[in-house]
Amino acid sequence: MRHSVQQAGYCNLLRTLMALMVFFFAGYLFSIWALLAKHTDWLHSVVAFVFLFGSVFVLLTIWLAQSTTNRLRQYSQHLEQLVEERTQHLQIALREQELARRYFAQLFQGMPVACFTYDEQGIIRDWNTEAERVYGFPAEEAIGKSIYELFCRPEDIEATRQVIQKVFAGESLRDLEWQDVTKNGELRWMLTSTFPFLDVEGNVLGAISANIDITERKRQQEIIEAQRDELEAQNESLRQMTARLAEANAQMEHMAATDGLTGLPNHRVFRERLWREFLWSLERNRAMSLLLMDIDHFKSFNDTFGHQAGDEVLRKVANVLEQHCGNRAFPARYGGEEFVAILPEMDGDTAIQFAEQLRERIADTPCCYRQITASIGVATVDLHTLNPDSLIEEADQALYVSKRQGRNRVSHAAVEGIHIIHIAPEEWEERVQRAIREGGGYAAQQVISQLIYDHLQAVRRACYAVETSDPSRCLHNEECRFSLWQQHASQCSAFSSFRLQTLVEQHERFHQLMARLRQQPAEETLEDLRQCGRQLVDNLREVLAVMPCAA
């Protein structure tokens, strides 16, 4: 329509210009005729030229108007094309906006989560199907109402107001847990996430809230927490019972390891400690002594003053022994009125001095019945010592020497010429057979330990032989206890042929090195012997570890 109006205006202008052009052209022709006929003067010439120039002006005007009209027409066509394109774009945008609105509405309504939108005052604007199901309010009843009056608990109003203020300040809040009231008055736990709607300039237009009903999960959590609390209570009770049991076990272990009357370690603990200290002494070639003590005329305390007096005397002597030993020695009750002390890293002279001081302290101990005295026997590990049992036997024989010589004195086995250097062949064979027959336990431990002692003592004697250049202190000319054990062990299925063959080969090499040292003591041969002895002892320990333990 606008284009038609513009074209009509241009046509009227062209008609006017054409009329003027005809008028001026007619005047021009008249002027030419007048000049040619000489019917006028110069004024007619001027009028003719005026008409001429007017005609030219009109022609130029018509040409410019036509050119301008063409340009305007082209520009108008271009504008119309732009308007048409913009109109199409606008229609597409409106259609897409409508599709987006419908898509959002369908998505909002079809969400499997209870969703609603609200404004800054908390007024609900949209309410989806899942919200109707969860809260029980239909959309027509919920829309237009405030969150505070629809489902918010009175005690949560202030917290809800703060949440809305934060959302309309541009903040998104996620995973808020609180309770809402449904239409039927039931409290339901909701996991809420809410965030603002923003326009293109970032202004908050509204907010949406997504709510997941977690009531069942909360109930399960409460059940689990209750069960956990109950389990923790049971665990605490169990811990207390375990602590009491551990305390009882510790007390029982203490009772099992301690003499009930004197409080000293008992005989079993003494034997275990003696085995470790004896082995440590042999392996490191360090001194070690053993003290065995007996209270003189102890029976007379019981017979004269009663058993209570005898028990008191035992406790007094045990207290003196424990104080005197301190950290230097390991005291224990051996049995009856006998006490024992392991003296690590004490040679014979030091052990005698230690025993004499102990004897004097016992004699000086106040007693309301009569003076307490003790007889003491001491033995020190030497190159001839066979095992812990032989060391105890030497100390015991030295103790009887002290008793025979008047009591209240100290005797040392080496000084008294007491040496236990042999195990009778028939006794050793009986031990080996019992160990093989039983397949483990104390008998096997005793046999294997004796083999370890023998080889460690042989290395010590070899060292002494090299130091003193006295080969006679090397291996004695007696039947080897290992050979007898090997003969019986080869017939026992408890020992693998490979392990036994390894032990035999190392033992043979050990004897070869000892024979070489007897002929010519040398440091190189001694070092080879030490290395071979260590390997042999380690393998014997492995045999001891893998054997079944019956005891």
Coordinates of all heavy atoms in Angstrom, one line a residue, residues 287-327:
A287 N 80.6 -63.8 77.8 CA 80.6 -64.6 79.1 C 79.1 -64.6 79.6 O 78.3 -63.7 79.3 CB 81.5 -63.9 80.1
M288 N 78.9 -65.7 80.4 CA 77.6 -65.8 81.0 C 77.8 -66.8 82.2 O 78.4 -67.8 82.0 CB 76.5 -66.3 80.1 CG 75.1 -66.2 80.7 SD 73.9 -67.2 79.9 CE 74.1 -68.8 80.6
S289 N 77.2 -66.5 83.3 CA 77.3 -67.3 84.5 C 75.9 -67.6 85.0 O 74.9 -66.9 84.7 CB 78.1 -66.7 85.6 OG 79.5 -66.5 85.1
L290 N 75.8 -68.6 85.9 CA 74.6 -69.0 86.5 C 74.8 -69.2 88.0 O 75.8 -69.8 88.4 CB 74.0 -70.3 85.9 CG 72.7 -70.8 86.4 CD1 71.6 -69.9 86.0 CD2 72.4 -72.2 86.0
L291 N 73.8 -68.6 88.8 CA 73.9 -68.7 90.3 C 72.7 -69.5 90.8 O 71.6 -69.2 90.4 CB 73.9 -67.2 90.8 CG 73.9 -67.0 92.3 CD1 74.6 -65.7 92.6 CD2 72.5 -67.0 93.0
L292 N 73.1 -70.5 91.6 CA 72.0 -71.3 92.2 C 72.2 -71.2 93.8 O 73.3 -71.4 94.3 CB 72.2 -72.8 91.8 CG 71.0 -73.7 92.1 CD1 69.7 -73.2 91.5 CD2 71.3 -75.1 91.6
M293 N 71.1 -70.8 94.4 CA 71.2 -70.5 95.9 C 70.2 -71.3 96.7 O 69.0 -71.5 96.2 CB 71.0 -69.0 96.1 CG 71.0 -68.6 97.5 SD 70.7 -66.8 97.6 CE 69.1 -66.6 97.0
D294 N 70.6 -71.7 97.9 CA 69.7 -72.5 98.8 C 69.7 -71.9 100.2 O 70.8 -71.6 100.7 CB 70.1 -74.0 98.8 CG 69.2 -74.8 99.6 OD1 68.2 -75.4 99.0 OD2 69.4 -75.0 100.8
I295 N 68.6 -71.7 100.8 CA 68.5 -71.1 102.1 C 69.0 -72.2 103.1 O 68.5 -73.3 103.1 CB 67.1 -70.6 102.5 CG1 66.7 -69.5 101.5 CG2 67.1 -70.1 103.9 CD1 65.3 -69.0 101.6
D296 N 69.9 -71.8 103.9 CA 70.5 -72.8 104.9 C 69.4 -73.2 106.0 O 68.8 -72.3 106.5 CB 71.7 -72.2 105.6 CG 72.9 -72.0 104.6 OD1 72.9 -72.8 103.6 OD2 73.7 -71.1 104.7
H297 N 69.3 -74.5 106.2 CA 68.5 -75.0 107.3 C 67.0 -74.4 107.2 O 66.5 -74.0 108.2 CB 69.1 -74.7 108.7 CG 70.5 -75.2 108.9 ND1 70.8 -76.5 108.9 CD2 71.7 -74.5 109.0 CE1 72.1 -76.7 109.1 NE2 72.6 -75.5 109.1
F298 N 66.5 -74.3 106.0 CA 65.2 -73.7 105.9 C 64.1 -74.6 106.6 O 63.2 -74.0 107.1 CB 64.9 -73.6 104.4 CG 63.5 -73.1 104.1 CD1 63.2 -71.7 104.3 CD2 62.5 -73.9 103.7 CE1 62.0 -71.2 104.1 CE2 61.2 -73.4 103.4 CZ 61.0 -72.1 103.6
K299 N 64.3 -75.9 106.6 CA 63.3 -76.7 107.2 C 63.1 -76.4 108.7 O 62.0 -76.5 109.2 CB 63.7 -78.2 107.1 CG 62.7 -79.2 107.5 CD 63.1 -80.6 107.2 CE 62.1 -81.7 107.6 NZ 61.8 -81.6 109.0
S300 N 64.2 -75.9 109.3 CA 64.1 -75.6 110.7 C 63.2 -74.4 111.0 O 62.5 -74.3 112.0 CB 65.4 -75.3 111.4 OG 66.0 -74.2 110.8
F301 N 63.1 -73.5 110.0 CA 62.1 -72.3 110.1 C 60.7 -72.9 110.2 O 59.9 -72.4 111.0 CB 62.3 -71.4 108.9 CG 63.5 -70.5 109.0 CD1 64.7 -70.7 108.4 CD2 63.4 -69.3 109.8 CE1 65.7 -69.8 108.5 CE2 64.4 -68.4 109.9 CZ 65.6 -68.7 109.2
N302 N 60.4 -73.8 109.3 CA 59.1 -74.3 109.3 C 58.8 -75.2 110.5 O 57.7 -75.1 111.1 CB 58.8 -75.2 108.0 CG 58.8 -74.4 106.8 OD1 58.4 -73.2 106.8 ND2 59.3 -74.9 105.6
D303 N 59.8 -76.0 110.9 CA 59.6 -76.9 112.1 C 59.5 -76.1 113.4 O 58.7 -76.4 114.3 CB 60.7 -77.9 112.1 CG 60.6 -78.9 110.9 OD1 59.6 -78.9 110.3 OD2 61.7 -79.5 110.7
T304 N 60.3 -75.0 113.5 CA 60.4 -74.3 114.8 C 59.4 -73.2 114.9 O 58.7 -73.0 115.9 CB 61.8 -73.7 114.9 OG1 62.8 -74.8 114.8 CG2 62.0 -73.0 116.3
F305 N 59.3 -72.4 113.8 CA 58.4 -71.2 113.8 C 57.1 -71.4 113.0 O 56.3 -70.4 113.0 CB 59.2 -70.0 113.3 CG 60.5 -69.8 114.1 CD1 61.7 -70.2 113.5 CD2 60.5 -69.3 115.3 CE1 62.9 -70.0 114.1 CE2 61.7 -69.1 116.0 CZ 62.9 -69.5 115.4
G306 N 57.0 -72.4 112.3 CA 55.8 -72.6 111.5 C 56.0 -72.2 110.0 O 56.9 -71.6 109.6
H307 N 55.0 -72.7 109.2 CA 55.1 -72.4 107.8 C 55.0 -71.0 107.4 O 55.5 -70.5 106.4 CB 54.1 -73.3 107.0 CG 54.4 -74.8 107.0 ND1 55.4 -75.3 106.2 CD2 53.9 -75.8 107.8 CE1 55.4 -76.6 106.4 NE2 54.6 -76.9 107.4
Q308 N 54.2 -70.2 108.2 CA 54.1 -68.8 107.9 C 55.5 -68.1 108.0 O 55.8 -67.2 107.2 CB 53.1 -68.1 108.9 CG 51.7 -68.6 108.8 CD 51.1 -68.2 107.5 OE1 51.5 -67.2 106.9 NE2 50.1 -69.0 107.0
A309 N 56.3 -68.5 109.0 CA 57.6 -68.0 109.2 C 58.5 -68.4 108.0 O 59.2 -67.6 107.5 CB 58.2 -68.5 110.5
G310 N 58.3 -69.6 107.5 CA 59.1 -70.1 106.4 C 58.7 -69.3 105.1 O 59.6 -68.9 104.3
D311 N 57.4 -69.0 104.9 CA 57.0 -68.2 103.8 C 57.6 -66.8 103.9 O 58.0 -66.2 102.9 CB 55.5 -68.1 103.7 CG 54.9 -69.5 103.4 OD1 55.7 -70.3 102.9 OD2 53.7 -69.6 103.5
E312 N 57.6 -66.2 105.1 CA 58.1 -64.8 105.3 C 59.6 -64.8 104.9 O 60.1 -63.9 104.3 CB 57.9 -64.4 106.7 CG 58.4 -62.9 106.9 CD 58.1 -62.5 108.4 OE1 57.4 -63.2 109.1 OE2 58.6 -61.4 108.7
V313 N 60.4 -65.9 105.3 CA 61.8 -65.9 105.0 C 62.0 -66.0 103.5 O 62.9 -65.3 103.0 CB 62.4 -67.1 105.7 CG1 63.9 -67.4 105.2 CG2 62.5 -66.9 107.2
L314 N 61.2 -66.8 102.8 CA 61.3 -66.9 101.4 C 61.1 -65.5 100.7 O 61.8 -65.2 99.8 CB 60.3 -67.9 100.8 CG 60.6 -69.4 101.2 CD1 59.5 -70.3 100.7 CD2 61.9 -69.8 100.5
R315 N 60.1 -64.8 101.2 CA 59.8 -63.5 100.6 C 61.0 -62.5 100.9 O 61.3 -61.7 100.0 CB 58.5 -62.9 101.2 CG 57.3 -63.6 100.6 CD 56.0 -62.8 100.9 NE 55.7 -63.0 102.3 CZ 54.9 -63.9 102.8 NH1 54.3 -64.8 102.0 NH2 54.6 -64.0 104.1
K316 N 61.6 -62.6 102.1 CA 62.7 -61.7 102.4 C 63.9 -62.0 101.5 O 64.5 -61.1 101.0 CB 63.1 -61.9 103.9 CG 62.2 -61.2 104.9 CD 62.6 -61.4 106.3 CE 61.8 -60.7 107.3 NZ 61.9 -59.2 107.2
V317 N 64.2 -63.3 101.4 CA 65.3 -63.6 100.5 C 65.1 -63.2 99.0 O 65.9 -62.7 98.3 CB 65.6 -65.1 100.6 CG1 66.7 -65.6 99.6 CG2 66.1 -65.5 102.0
A318 N 63.8 -63.5 98.6 CA 63.5 -63.1 97.2 C 63.6 -61.6 97.0 O 64.1 -61.1 95.9 CB 62.1 -63.6 96.9
N319 N 63.2 -60.8 98.0 CA 63.3 -59.4 97.9 C 64.7 -58.9 97.8 O 65.1 -58.0 97.0 CB 62.6 -58.7 99.1 CG 62.5 -57.2 98.9 OD1 62.1 -56.7 97.9 ND2 62.9 -56.5 100.0
V320 N 65.6 -59.5 98.6 CA 67.0 -59.2 98.6 C 67.6 -59.6 97.2 O 68.4 -58.8 96.6 CB 67.8 -59.9 99.7 CG1 69.3 -59.7 99.6 CG2 67.3 -59.4 101.1
L321 N 67.3 -60.7 96.7 CA 67.8 -61.2 95.5 C 67.4 -60.3 94.3 O 68.2 -59.9 93.5 CB 67.3 -62.6 95.2 CG 67.7 -63.2 93.8 CD1 69.2 -63.3 93.7 CD2 67.1 -64.6 93.7
E322 N 66.1 -59.9 94.3 CA 65.6 -59.0 93.3 C 66.3 -57.6 93.3 O 66.6 -57.1 92.3 CB 64.1 -58.9 93.4 CG 63.4 -58.1 92.2 CD 61.9 -58.1 92.3 OE1 61.4 -58.4 93.5 OE2 61.3 -57.9 91.3
Q323 N 66.4 -57.1 94.5 CA 67.1 -55.8 94.6 C 68.5 -55.9 94.2 O 69.1 -55.0 93.6 CB 66.9 -55.3 96.1 CG 65.5 -54.9 96.4 CD 65.4 -54.4 97.9 OE1 66.4 -54.3 98.6 NE2 64.2 -54.0 98.3
H324 N 69.2 -57.0 94.6 CA 70.6 -57.1 94.3 C 70.8 -57.3 92.8 O 71.8 -56.8 92.2 CB 71.2 -58.3 95.1 CG 72.7 -58.4 94.9 ND1 73.6 -57.5 95.4 CD2 73.4 -59.4 94.3 CE1 74.8 -57.8 95.1 NE2 74.8 -59.0 94.5
C325 N 69.9 -58.0 92.1 CA 70.1 -58.3 90.7 C 69.9 -57.0 89.9 O 70.6 -56.7 89.0 CB 69.2 -59.4 90.3 SG 69.6 -61.0 90.8
G326 N 68.8 -56.3 90.2 CA 68.5 -55.0 89.5 C 68.4 -55.3 88.0 O 67.7 -56.2 87.5
N327 N 69.1 -54.5 87.2 CA 69.2 -54.7 85.7 C 70.3 -55.6 85.3 O 70.5 -55.8 84.1 CB 69.2 -53.4 85.0 CG 68.0 -52.6 85.3 OD1 66.9 -53.1 85.4 ND2 68.1 -51.3 85.4

